[in-house]
Amino acid sequence: MRITALSLQMGENDFERRFVWYAESKVKSAAVLYITKTEYLKQKSFEKAKKVFGSVEVVFNNADFVSCKVKIENLDPSSEYLYKVGDGEEFFDEIYSFKTPSKSQKRSFAIISDFHCMYKPENPKLWQYRLPQWQNTINQINNFDSNISCLISGGDNISSYHMGLEGDKEKLRLICEKEHEFLFEPELMKSIPFATVMGNHEAQYYEKEDLDSSVMGYHFYMPNDDGGSGHVPKTTSGNFCFLSGNVLVIGLNFSVDIRGNYAKTDYETNEKYVNFAVNKYPNSVWRVIVTHIQGFTFIGDSKGTETSYMMQKQDELCGKYKIDLMLTGHAHGFSRSYPIKNGKADKNVLQNINGVDTICNSEGTVHYNIPSALNHSFTSVFSQFGNYVKSYGVAKMRSET
């Protein structure tokens, strides 16, 4: 059995995991076989492993591949699990692992954006060159903190090198699929739970060809998926939310296209989803929104009426639902705001505690713009520095702070 594009993805909470992979069209069922490492070592076998079945969907009505999705629930805390994927009868030989956190409220999240996995049919070696860069970024994250609760992306996971190919569906499909294979190639993508929103590079062509978004939908199985909010087709991951410890993370496809009437529609749709998420998890202590298009940032392309509108709407949304942190990407550069509420920065809450600038008792929202996770610099702000370093962030949260 040939398995490709396998990834581990976040569930609705710390003790639920989701798995997505591709298999040959002859596969009619999908299952995950899993067992705690402690139990496995007793007999060095999967004999006492649990088996859970999921769904199988033909990709693009194409007979070559199927998308397999499985969800497992009620995992034990503070445990390491081993797993295999397959059709329920024949399982892939490769054994992968993942960990579950303790029941404490301390959590760490790795944050990345805009790594633009790229595939060009005329230059396939480009993939081979860039893959080690992507693997190195993931390895650095794991070396920094091997107990990451979730890897969160602000979107633009792929590049969509599609200029001039809008009418060539087969070539578009090949490019999109190759870029997602690239995304999931590192071994750690099968061990660290992943969650992502849709960036403009995933979505820019859905209106014309409906390919990027559909490919994304076949590769993702997001928690509390609303089934295609706003302009996002129902085959995509849509908006999502999950609770890790007592941190509520809300992923919003805030703007497929922030021009014209799109922004208004996206805001109204996503406001309803944030309301749903906050009411589903009313006891969350921390509230975090992840979306692609930035409002509050100094980066060079963040100017004009479109960004002003986004700033206004993001500020309204964050204030209404008491959002602590908003994470965005898109601009390929880092910026961090003071807590913002009602359009104003609150500088009085910043205190120096043990040599660290610390925000205390703020009612505003801190806005972080996440740099590119690969060597990209599309804005004039960074032109004087040339290629800047690959970037990621790690956010540590606990209820007592």
Side-chain angles (χ1 to χ4, degrees):
M1 179 184 297
R2 183 170 178 265
I3 302 293
T4 60
L6 171 63
S7 67
L8 176 69
Q9 299 179 18
M10 190 65 186
E12 292 188 18
N13 55 60
D14 291 314
F15 309 111
E16 177 184 302
R17 292 290 181 265
R18 298 177 179 216
F19 306 82
V20 183
W21 68 92
Y22 271 22
E24 304 108 310
S25 58
K26 66 180 182 180
V27 173
K28 304 302 180 185
S29 59
V32 170
L33 200 65
Y34 67 102
I35 187 172
T36 63
K37 186 175 182 179
T38 300
E39 190 65 32
Y40 173 82
L41 291 175
K42 290 178 181 178
Q43 296 182 333
K44 297 293 181 67
S45 77
F46 275 74
E47 183 179 347
K48 294 187 177 181
K50 295 180 181 179
K51 183 192 301 185
V52 176
F53 284 87
S55 65
V56 174
E57 181 181 10
V58 177
V59 176
F60 285 117
N61 297 317
N62 186 318
D64 293 338
F65 299 101
V66 292
S67 170
C68 303
K69 299 181 179 181
V70 178
K71 174 177 67 176
I72 61 176
E73 304 172 283
N74 301 315
L75 297 166
D76 296 329
S78 303
S79 298
E80 183 173 1
Y81 282 87
L82 306 180
Y83 73 92
K84 296 181 178 183
V85 302
D87 63 2
E89 298 297 331
E90 178 185 354
F91 283 91
F92 192 44
D93 289 337
E94 196 80 27
I95 299 175
Y96 298 104
S97 66
F98 65 88
K99 297 177 182 178
T100 55
S102 68
K103 288 187 175 181
S104 76
Q105 301 305 321
K106 296 181 181 180
R107 293 292 180 267
S108 295
F109 302 94
I111 303 156
I112 52 178
S113 189
D114 295 86
F115 32 95
H116 290 277
C117 297
M118 184 180 291
Y119 176 78
K120 294 183 179 181
E122 69 275 20
N123 185 15
K125 290 185 178 180
L126 178 67
W127 187 9
Q128 299 172 11
Y129 167 73
R130 294 173 67 103
L131 179 58
Q133 295 180 318
W134 173 225
Q135 290 175 323
N136 183 52
T137 299
I138 300 299
N139 289 338
Q140 284 185 48
I141 292 172
N142 189 62
N143 291 337
F144 182 85
D145 188 342
S146 61
N147 293 309
I148 292 292
S149 302
C150 182
L151 176 62
I152 301 172
S153 171
D156 277 5
N157 303 316
I158 62 175
S159 271
S160 303
Y161 179 72
H162 298 161
M163 299 303 179
L165 297 177
E166 291 92 326
D168 192 337
K169 291 186 177 182
E170 290 303 318
K171 186 168 283 189
L172 282 170
R173 183 181 305 169
L174 168 66
I175 292 170
C176 293
E177 292 291 5
K178 285 293 186 181
E179 289 177 349
H180 279 89
E181 284 186 37
F182 177 11
L183 173 66
F184 297 127
E185 184 71 20
E187 289 290 301
L188 286 169
M189 293 298 287
K190 301 162 182 58
S191 298
I192 302 175
F194 186 56
T196 184
V197 296
M198 177 184 289
N200 56 290
H201 277 260
E202 280 94 3
Q204 62 181 326
Y205 279 95
Y206 87 89
E207 193 174 18
K208 296 178 182 178
E209 298 295 343
D210 204 17
L211 283 174
D212 275 335
S213 300
S214 296
V215 170
M216 186 176 176
Y218 290 126
H219 284 289
F220 291 95
Y221 185 18
M222 292 290 96
N224 296 301
D225 180 0
D226 66 336
S229 65
H231 299 283
V232 183
K234 289 184 178 180
T235 51
T236 72
S237 59
N239 295 336
F240 67 84
C241 63
F242 62 83
L243 189 71
S244 182
N246 47 28
V247 180
L248 170 60
V249 178
I250 305 170
L252 298 179
N253 294 316
F254 202 102
S255 189
V256 171
D257 185 343
I258 63 174
R259 293 155 181 81
N261 294 325
Y262 284 98
K264 181 178 180 181
T265 304
D266 288 334
Y267 174 76
E268 292 174 349
T269 302
N270 286 297
E271 193 276 336
K272 292 179 181 178
Y273 189 78
V274 173
N275 182 70
F276 157 77
V278 168
N279 283 292
K280 182 176 177 65
Y281 301 107
N283 296 321
S284 57
V285 174
W286 294 92
R287 294 175 180 175
V288 179
I289 286 179
V290 185
T291 191
H292 186 65
I293 302 294
Q294 78 289 349
F296 295 87
T297 183
F298 72 89
I299 305 303
D301 62 354
S302 304
K303 299 177 181 178
T305 56
E306 297 156 356
T307 300
S308 297
Y309 183 87
M310 293 298 291
M311 289 174 65
Q312 174 192 341
K313 290 304 181 183
Q314 287 181 2
D315 187 37
E316 291 176 5
L317 185 69
C318 291
K320 182 176 181 179
Y321 293 99
K322 298 182 178 180
I323 304 301
D324 299 292
L325 180 64
M326 175 166 271
L327 303 169
T328 57
H330 185 60
H332 293 215
F334 174 78
S335 66
R336 178 184 63 191
S337 76
Y338 286 101
I340 295 174
K341 185 177 182 181
N342 298 327
K344 297 181 180 180
D346 184 1
K347 300 181 181 180
N348 296 323
V349 297
L350 195 62
Q351 299 179 23
N352 188 289
I353 299 178
N354 297 324
V356 178
D357 287 336
T358 305
I359 296 170
C360 299
N361 301 319
S362 172
E363 294 184 356
T365 303
V366 177
H367 294 255
Y368 276 84
N369 195 240
I370 311 163
S372 171
L374 282 182
N375 290 331
H376 277 290
S377 182
F378 293 159
T379 58
S380 59
V381 174
F382 296 99
S383 61
Q384 60 182 307
F385 302 114
N387 285 336
Y388 58 90
V389 69
K390 301 175 284 293
S391 301
Y392 65 90
V394 175
K396 294 178 180 288
M397 297 181 174
R398 57 185 184 222
S399 59
E400 60 266 33
T401 59

